[in-house]
Amino acid sequence: LEQDALSRKKYNIHISGNNIPTPLQNFAELSSRYGCEPYLIRNLAKMGFKEPTPIQRQAIPVLLSGQECFACAPTGSGKTLAFVCPMLMKLKHASNDGIRAVIICPTRELAAQTSRESKKLAKGKKLCIKLMTRQLLRSADLSKLPCDILISTPLRLRLSVRKKKLDLSKVEYLVLDESDKLFEEGLLKQIDSVVKACSNPSIIRSMFSATLPDFVEELARTIMHDAVRIIVGRKNT
Ligand code: ADP
Ligand code: MG
């Protein structure tokens, strides 16, 4: 435990919550501690990632432990991998049981970028990762969409839940990326309806952002219960 505190101090990780797991020391621990499949370790190496960033060190073990979290770490500090990596490890295999994970990003560009990064990380594994595009939104019936991970903006997701009967009731992992932006710009209503549509009682939600204004933290606490709070560096820089 003292070791954990030293490690958090070294990487400027601040936490609050209960039973927070030990930070990751390196990517090899994904295998030794969590039985991660070789494809993911291989992809991390191929992508040139030698060691986890501070947010990855703490957020990955928290999400793998099944706890909800909201996390704040600077732009460019590797937040995408911090939520995609545990998602890939938890979902394990493709399934035809409907959408099991959803990532919401505030803009189409960010959604496309997140989709590309997720696909790179999942390479060699038969998991179906889909970006909610305009074409997909136009297609007749989304209820039988083969998809393990769906990445979308809030607007497109809400439209497809409403009009195309996209079923989110099986979603096991919901990520709100850049949550500070999602909660601004009048997106709040759309987020709210998507969060409600993800009605699986054992869902694990998480929120990631570069800043954590008080109103975002308050919303995080209304959406999640007993969530772990992870801050890398300082809350508003
Ligand atoms: P953020 O969402 O925090 O702004 P990103 O997830 O977009 O940051 O990552 C920023 C860049 O860092 C990306 O190019 C990503 O591929 C790269 N990256 C992610 N994790 C690592 C790592 N462990 N080591 C080196 N580079 C990384
Ligand atoms: Mg990001």
Side-chain angles (χ1 to χ4, degrees):
L1 285 172
E2 199 169 326
Q3 206 61 42
D4 292 2
L6 283 172
S7 170
R8 288 185 186 114
K9 192 168 175 199
K10 178 175 172 191
Y11 296 109
N12 209 356
I13 300 167
H14 307 276
I15 49 157
S16 51
N18 298 316
N19 304 317
I20 300 174
T22 303
L24 219 54
Q25 287 190 36
N26 47 55
F27 284 129
E29 278 190 355
L30 291 175
S31 309
S32 57
R33 262 169 77 181
Y34 299 103
C36 176
E37 289 178 67
Y39 84 90
L40 187 50
I41 305 293
R42 223 168 25 233
N43 291 341
L44 291 169
K46 260 200 291 187
M47 291 165 85
F49 302 166
K50 296 198 169 59
E51 56 169 2
T53 64
I55 188 61
Q56 293 163 3
R57 287 175 194 272
Q58 189 60 80
I60 291 173
V62 165
L63 288 170
L64 287 174
S65 78
Q67 289 169 291
E68 298 197 315
C69 73
F70 58 100
C72 171
T75 302
S77 67
K79 291 188 287 293
T80 313
L81 176 61
F83 56 77
V84 173
C85 174
M87 192 179 270
L88 294 173
M89 288 171 67
K90 286 281 195 176
L91 293 178
K92 286 207 172 85
H93 305 293
S95 92
N96 292 318
D97 300 343
I99 297 158
R100 289 188 297 152
V102 169
I103 302 169
I104 307 181
C105 304
T107 65
R108 280 173 277 173
E109 292 71 28
L110 280 167
Q113 197 181 312
T114 303
S115 168
R116 283 194 299 272
E117 176 126 355
S118 305
K119 283 176 182 168
K120 274 192 209 164
L121 286 165
K123 208 166 175 198
K125 186 76 194 169
K126 262 199 204 150
L127 276 165
C128 186
I129 299 171
K130 282 221 157 76
L131 177 66
M132 181 60 81
T133 57
R134 192 149 32 134
Q135 292 98 299
L136 196 58
L137 194 56
R138 276 189 188 147
S139 60
D141 184 6
L142 291 176
S143 66
K144 290 179 188 70
L145 184 71
C147 176
D148 296 295
I149 302 176
L150 181 64
I151 301 157
S152 178
T153 60
L155 179 61
R156 286 182 172 176
L157 196 57
R158 171 144 174 271
L159 284 172
S160 44
V161 168
R162 261 196 178 171
K163 297 188 175 162
K164 307 282 180 169
K165 304 186 172 58
L166 188 74
D167 181 7
L168 298 182
S169 68
K170 306 263 169 57
V171 172
E172 299 163 50
Y173 300 94
L174 173 65
V175 177
L176 306 186
D177 191 21
E178 306 237 1
S179 48
D180 50 352
K181 300 213 178 72
L182 286 178
F183 290 153
E184 282 174 2
E185 301 162 19
L187 297 178
L188 199 55
K189 256 194 172 163
Q190 291 156 20
I191 298 295
D192 191 54
S193 66
V194 170
V195 168
K196 287 202 174 101
C198 295
S199 57
N200 181 348
S202 48
I203 189 167
I204 309 289
R205 305 177 195 90
S206 58
M207 298 183 9
F208 287 79
S209 60
T211 69
L212 188 62
D214 290 342
F215 81 96
V216 173
E217 181 155 356
E218 277 162 34
L219 283 166
R221 291 190 192 281
T222 64
I223 290 174
M224 303 181 286
H225 305 285
D226 298 324
V228 171
R229 177 185 196 264
I230 308 169
I231 311 276
V232 172
R234 294 178 56 209
K235 171 166 143 142
N236 289 313
T237 53

